[in-house]
Amino acid sequence: MKNQNYPDKNTIALIAICMATLMFSLEISSVPVILPTLEKVLGANLNDMQWIMNSYTIGCTTVLMAAGTLADKYGRKRILLITLVLFGIASLVCGLAQNTAVLIVSRFFQGISGGAMLICQVSALSHQFQEGKERSKAFGIWGIILGLGLGFGPIIGSGIVGLLSWKWVFLIHTPIAVLASILVYGNVAESKDPLAKRLDISGMVTLSLAVFGLTYFITQGGETGFTSTIAICIFIATAISFILFVWVEKNNAHPMFDFSVFKIRNFSGAVFGSIGMNFSFWPFIIYLPIYFQGCLGYDVLTAGLSLLAYTLPTLIIPPLAERLSVRYRPGIVIPSGLFTIGLGFIVMRYGSLAEHPDWITVLPGSILAGIGLGLTNTPVTNTTTGSVSSNRAGMASGIDMSARLITLAINIALMGFILVEGISSYLETVLAHQSPHSLALRSLAEKIASGSFDTLKHDFPQLAVLDPSGTIVHAALVHGVDWIMLYSGIGVWILSLASFITFGKNKTQKIL
C-alpha cells in the first residue's frame, strides 16, 4: 500500500508547490496592470506606484540568499509552510489596504515571504523528486507554471479588476495559500542538511541597505533634489553599505556571495544576461500599461490583453533557446537574446511614434522583446549553475537571482525618473513660454507620468485654457515613454556587447 500511495503523494506535493510558484509569479506580473487603477482609487502618485512594485522586489532580495540556509538548517518543509502562511497574511493585508503606505509596507512583507518561498520550493522539489526522469518532469512542470504566471499575469490581473476589484488581485492569494499549506503539510517530505552553514546576517543587512538606499535615492531624488543634503546623505550611506557588504563577504568564511566565481568567464557572461533581462524587459512591464491606458486610452482589460504580445513569447521560445544553446554555446545565444530585446525596444519605439499609434504598431517590437527574453532566460539559468561545481550551484543560483532582482529594483526607479524627465522636457518646450511661473511643471509631469488624466484639470486648472483637448498632455506622456524605450534599447545592447566580450571563446570553465 505504501508504494501505491507514494506517487499520489508526490503528485499532490507537486501541485502544492506549483500553487506557491504561481502566487509568486503572479505578484510580479499581475500588479503592474492595476497601477493606473491604484492611482485613481488610492490617490497614488508615480513614486507610490514605483514603491508598490519595488517594495516587493526589495523584500525578495533581502531574504533570497538567506532562505536556502534557513531551509537547510531548520527544515525545508517547515520554512516553506511558514512562508506560505506569511504570504497569505501579507496578501490579505494588501487587499484590505486603504492607503498606499499600508500597501507598500505589506508588499514588502509579501516580497520577503515570496522570495523565501521561491527558494524553499526548489529545495523541496529537489528532495521530493530524486530520480532522474521523475525529477526532470517535476522541475519541467514547475518551470511551466512559473512561466505561465509571469506570461499570463497581466491578463489575469486585468480580468480580476474587470470582474471584481483591484483588491482581489491580492486577496485571491490568501485562500490559495491556505490550500497550498494544507497540501504541503500532508504531502511534502521534510528534509534538512546537517552540515548547513551559518546565516550570513551581516551580508544580508548590508546588501539590503545598499539596494534600498540606491533605489530610494533614484526614486525620491527628483523630488528632493539630487544635490540636497538628504539626498547626498542617502547616497553616502548607500556607498558605505555597499563597501561594507563587499568587505564582509570577502572576510566571511561562508559568504553568501563568493566573488571568486566572477573569475569564471561563462558565469560572469551569464550574469550580464541576468542583468540585461531585468535592465529593460521586466521593469518596462510597469510602464507599458501606463502607455496603453494613458496614451492609447485602453481600459484595464484591453491593456492586459495587449500585454500578452509582450509576455507570451517568453513561454514559447525557451525550448528553442535550449537547443540553440547546445548547438552554438551560451556565449553566442545569451548576447544574441539580449540584442534581440534591445532591437524589440527600438522597433517598439518607432511603433509608438507612428501617426496613429495603437497596439498593432507596437506589436512587432513587443514580440521581438519577448522573443529576446525567451532566448536569454533559460540559458542564463543553466549557465550560471553549470559553470561552477555542484556544491556551489545553490550559491551561483542565488547570485543569479539577486542580480536579476537588484537590477529590476534599480531600473524600476530609473525608468520612473527618465519618464518624468522626458515629460518635463516636453512640457518646458511647449508650455514654459506660455506660463513660466504659474504652472508647476515638475508636479504636472509627475501627475502625467502616473497615466491617469481624470483629475489633471482639477489639480492644474490652467490646463483647461492651455490644453483644452488634452493633446499636449498625451504628447508629453508619449515623449516620456519614448525616452524610456530609447534608454532600454541602447542600455541592453551595451550589456549584450559586455556579455559577448566576457564570454570570450572559452566553451567550458569550471571551479573544481
Side-chain angles (χ1 to χ4, degrees), residues 10-23 80 84 121 176 179-185 187-188:
N10 273 4
T11 300
I12 297 172
L14 179 59
I15 291 171
I17 291 171
C18 285
M19 289 169 68
T21 197
L22 182 63
M23 290 191 294
L80 179 57
L84 277 167
Q121 292 166 30
I176 295 175
L179 178 57
S181 298
I182 294 170
L183 296 179
V184 166
Y185 181 79
N187 297 278
V188 172

Side-chain angles (χ1 to χ4, degrees), residues 112-159:
I112 288 177
S113 53
M117 185 171 67
L118 179 68
I119 298 300
C120 291
Q121 292 166 30
V122 177
S123 299
L125 274 178
S126 295
H127 180 75
Q128 192 88 17
F129 298 92
Q130 298 185 9
E131 295 181 10
K133 188 175 180 181
E134 190 180 34
R135 181 186 178 90
S136 297
K137 184 179 178 181
F139 271 96
I141 293 171
W142 177 82
I144 289 170
I145 298 300
L146 180 65
L148 287 174
L150 292 171
F152 285 92
I155 189 60
I156 291 172
S158 58

Side-chain angles (χ1 to χ4, degrees), residues 222-421:
E223 185 177 331
T224 61
F226 289 105
T227 57
S228 65
T229 302
I230 186 170
I232 292 172
C233 288
I234 290 169
F235 184 79
I236 292 172
T238 299
I240 291 172
S241 296
F242 181 73
I243 292 168
L244 284 173
F245 166 70
V246 174
W247 182 83
V248 164
E249 296 306 289
K250 284 186 172 292
N251 290 276
N252 193 331
H254 304 291
M256 65 179 189
F257 262 70
D258 185 351
F259 289 102
S260 67
V261 297
F262 287 101
K263 296 177 182 177
I264 307 170
R265 299 190 71 161
N266 276 7
F267 180 85
S268 296
V271 168
F272 273 117
S274 301
I275 294 170
M277 290 185 294
N278 293 275
F279 182 92
S280 55
F281 188 91
W282 287 119
F284 189 63
I285 202 173
I286 295 174
Y287 300 99
L288 199 49
I290 293 175
Y291 172 77
F292 284 138
Q293 295 181 57
C295 294
L296 304 183
Y298 293 166
D299 58 33
V300 65
L301 186 58
T302 307
L305 284 168
S306 300
L307 278 170
L308 285 179
Y310 191 67
T311 57
L312 280 184
T314 67
L315 306 179
I316 300 168
I317 300 300
L320 172 63
E322 275 300 284
R323 289 196 291 271
L324 290 173
S325 188
V326 171
R327 184 171 181 178
Y328 297 107
R329 75 184 178 88
I332 298 295
V333 176
I334 291 173
S336 298
L338 293 180
F339 180 84
T340 306
I341 294 173
L343 181 63
F345 273 92
I346 299 302
V347 173
M348 207 186 317
R349 173 178 180 257
Y350 282 103
S352 70
L353 296 176
E355 186 175 353
H356 301 290
D358 58 17
W359 72 272
I360 292 291
T361 62
V362 298
L363 180 66
S366 296
I367 293 174
L368 269 176
I371 289 172
L373 188 102
L375 285 172
T376 310
N377 191 25
T378 308
V380 162
T381 303
N382 290 343
T383 305
T384 51
T385 54
S387 298
V388 301
S389 54
S390 58
N391 64 317
R392 307 181 91 181
M395 181 271 301
S397 178
I399 292 177
D400 172 27
M401 288 301 298
S402 295
R404 297 181 191 218
L405 291 172
I406 291 169
T407 307
L408 177 62
I410 291 171
N411 273 279
I412 286 174
L414 271 174
M415 283 187 180
F417 172 74
I418 291 168
L419 177 62
V420 172
E421 289 300 308

Side-chain angles (χ1 to χ4, degrees), residues 55 59 86-87 90 104-114:
S55 57
L86 292 177
F87 192 88
I104 289 168
V105 172
S106 53
R107 282 279 288 170
F108 176 73
F109 286 104
Q110 197 185 34
I112 288 177
S113 53

Side-chain angles (χ1 to χ4, degrees), residues 24 35 101 120 151 154 168 180 237 255 294 300 333 364 376 402 404 438 447 452-453 473 490 500:
F24 174 83
L35 291 177
C120 291
W168 281 98
V300 65
V333 176
T376 310
S402 295
R404 297 181 191 218
S438 55
K447 189 74 174 176
S452 177
F453 304 150
V473 166
I490 294 174
F500 180 76

